[in-house]
């Protein structure tokens, strides 16, 4: 058994061009999904899996994210004076979220480069990576199960989504072989009911006909720290960027004693690409509909709105 995963890295240095002009003056990660910035959901997901050390990879101009997770004494004092306990709790909650560190990416040279920047902070431990654009419904969180597989096998674990064949070009594609949980190497409990694959190779955003399968990598990873050494020698790949997918493909061909071995878990829950405007809207609607405070009124309105439009 390897050590318990307790660290999470969240790359958040991108320009957010898909969300311009909203992301011109505020980081795209601060755009709200209902009433919380997108980045807060990602940090909450890491914490829910017991990862209470979180490192955000950012860049200058994204200080709003740091302010969001820092105490706000003036605001808190004002809310206290007004006796507004609910909002005070909401504000305080953001600054009591485990231990949050910030590391600058510097030159944006791709996702692999962003993850590599966390090397010192990771300090040789296994760690998770969560991509903020991949937004998972809280009822479908799976990071904890992925950590269990990492701890049992000592390898690396990635989350997979079955996508229509024409969409695989937007993702990393994997070459999978199904494996039963009981046949995984190592010891330790792995939750029941997971679809697990051993991955032999990956390719990033494959051209038509070059995909290994229509199982796409989505933005949840749990790594053996060997990935950080691999990243150092990973040459620029698709788009001239250092691709995390390429490093994972190298890990897949490495022996377990060197930190190699890659497993994929198929995700069957709700996932939204919140970097895409239509998907972002779907995430907002679904979350709002599920909220106990907003859901009943919102869904009544939504049903009326949709039926009026259908009749128009
Ligand atoms: C990144 C990864 C890709 C993965 C995708 C999931 O791509 O490079 O392998 O499939 O996230 O959302 P991006 O969407 O940042 O271009």
């Amino acid at each position: 058994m390897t050590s318990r995963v307790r660290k999470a890295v969240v790359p958040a240095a991108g320009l957010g061009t898909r969300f311009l002009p909203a992301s011109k003056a505020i980081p795209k990660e601060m755009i709200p999904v209902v009433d919380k910035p997108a980045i807060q959901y990602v940090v909450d997901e890491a914490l829910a899996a017991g990862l209470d050390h979180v490192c955000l990879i950012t860049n200058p101009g994204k200080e709003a994210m740091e302010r969001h997770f820092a105490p706000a004494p003036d605001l808190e004092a004002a809310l206290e004076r007004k006796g507004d306990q609910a909002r005070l709790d909401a504000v305080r909650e953001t600054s009591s979220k485990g231990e949050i560190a910030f590391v600058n990416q510097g030159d944006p040279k791709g996702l692999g480069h962003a993850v590599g920047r966390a090397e010192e902070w990771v300090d040789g431990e296994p760690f998770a990576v969560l991509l903020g654009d991949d937004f998972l419904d809280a009822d479908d969180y799976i990071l904890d199960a992925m950590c269990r597989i990492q701890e049992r096998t000592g390898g690396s674990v990635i989350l997979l989504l079955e996508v229509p064949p024409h969409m695989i070009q937007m993702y990393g594609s994997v070459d999978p072989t199904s494996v039963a949980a009981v046949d995984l190497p190592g010891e330790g409990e792995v939750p029941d009911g997971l679809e697990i694959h051993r991955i032999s190779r990956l390719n990033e955003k494959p051209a038509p006909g070059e995909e290994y399968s229509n199982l796409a990598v989505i933005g949840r990873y749990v790594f053996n720290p060997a990935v950080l050494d691999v990243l150092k020698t990973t040459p620029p790949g698709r788009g001239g960027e250092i691709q995390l997918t390429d490093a994972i493909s190298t890990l897949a061909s490495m022996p377990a004693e060197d930190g190699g071995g890659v497993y994929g878990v198929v995700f069957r829950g709700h996932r939204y690409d919140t970097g895409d405007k239509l998907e972002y809207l779907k995430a907002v609607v679904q979350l709002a509909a599920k909220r106990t405070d907003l859901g009943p009124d919102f869904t009544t309105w939504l049903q009326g709105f949709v039926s009026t439009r259908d009749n128009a």
Side-chain angles (χ1 to χ4, degrees):
M1 275 250 277
T2 55
S3 54
R4 176 85 175 77
V5 187
R6 54 183 204 115
K7 291 183 172 177
V9 172
V10 181
L15 289 175
T17 45
R18 288 198 288 174
F19 249 92
L20 284 169
S23 56
K24 184 179 170 207
I26 56 162
K28 70 163 181 181
E29 292 82 2
M30 289 299 293
I31 292 175
V33 178
V34 187
D35 56 0
K36 286 198 281 182
I39 191 76
Q40 192 176 331
Y41 290 92
V42 179
V43 171
D44 285 347
E45 183 183 339
L47 292 171
L51 314 182
D52 53 4
H53 292 62
V54 181
C55 177
L56 304 186
I57 310 295
T58 72
N59 62 21
K62 294 211 164 189
E63 292 78 11
M65 275 194 291
E66 294 192 37
R67 285 201 301 279
H68 182 72
F69 291 109
D74 292 348
L75 176 59
E76 288 173 32
L79 291 168
E80 227 159 26
R81 279 196 299 276
K82 282 167 78 178
D84 192 340
Q85 194 59 42
R87 292 194 176 90
L88 185 60
D89 290 347
V91 166
R92 283 197 173 139
E93 197 205 337
T94 62
S95 54
S96 57
K97 293 194 166 298
E99 192 186 289
I100 303 194
F102 297 86
V103 168
N104 262 320
Q105 185 179 358
D107 280 351
K109 293 190 212 147
L111 180 60
H113 175 247
V115 171
R117 295 285 295 140
E119 181 173 20
E120 207 173 304
W121 181 84
V122 162
D123 196 22
E125 293 187 31
F127 65 102
V129 170
L130 293 87
L131 305 188
D133 281 349
D134 287 291
F135 191 93
L136 307 188
D137 192 300
D139 289 337
D140 301 322
Y141 281 171
I142 194 165
L143 192 58
D144 187 56
M146 294 172 67
C147 290
R148 294 292 87 74
I149 297 174
Q150 196 289 324
E151 287 157 16
R152 170 164 167 161
T153 62
S156 294
V157 186
I158 58 181
L159 194 58
L160 303 173
L161 183 74
E162 203 175 326
V163 299
H166 70 277
M167 287 180 71
I168 193 69
Q169 294 150 43
M170 293 163 56
Y171 299 94
S173 135
V174 304
D175 197 345
T177 307
S178 180
V179 53
V182 287
D183 294 331
L184 287 172
E187 285 167 16
E189 283 291 306
V190 168
D192 288 337
L194 296 174
E195 277 172 73
I196 306 173
H197 294 274
R198 170 126 199 164
I199 307 301
S200 58
R201 53 187 177 159
L202 302 88
N203 57 359
E204 176 70 5
K205 306 205 170 77
E210 284 177 10
E211 67 275 10
Y212 294 136
S213 70
N214 65 336
L215 282 177
V217 181
I218 52 170
R220 299 293 180 274
Y221 312 78
V222 186
F223 286 113
N224 180 295
V227 71
L228 295 163
D229 275 337
V230 171
L231 279 167
K232 284 183 202 151
T233 54
T234 300
R238 176 79 55 201
E241 297 188 335
I242 298 175
Q243 296 292 351
L244 189 56
T245 301
D246 294 343
I248 302 170
S249 202
T250 305
L251 282 176
S253 63
M254 283 167 45
E257 56 271 29
D258 295 339
V262 176
Y263 300 89
V265 179
V266 181
F267 183 68
R268 296 285 179 197
H270 291 100
R271 171 258 179 191
Y272 305 91
D273 172 4
T274 49
D276 174 86
K277 287 174 199 170
L278 181 60
E279 290 269 304
Y280 166 79
L281 282 174
K282 292 180 192 170
V284 173
V285 169
Q286 167 131 352
L287 250 71
K290 278 174 72 173
R291 285 265 295 249
T292 48
D293 54 345
L294 299 167
D297 286 350
F298 177 61
T299 36
T300 305
W301 172 83
L302 193 59
Q303 275 158 349
F305 175 73
V306 171
S307 62
T308 337
R309 281 184 54 96
D310 281 350
N311 295 331

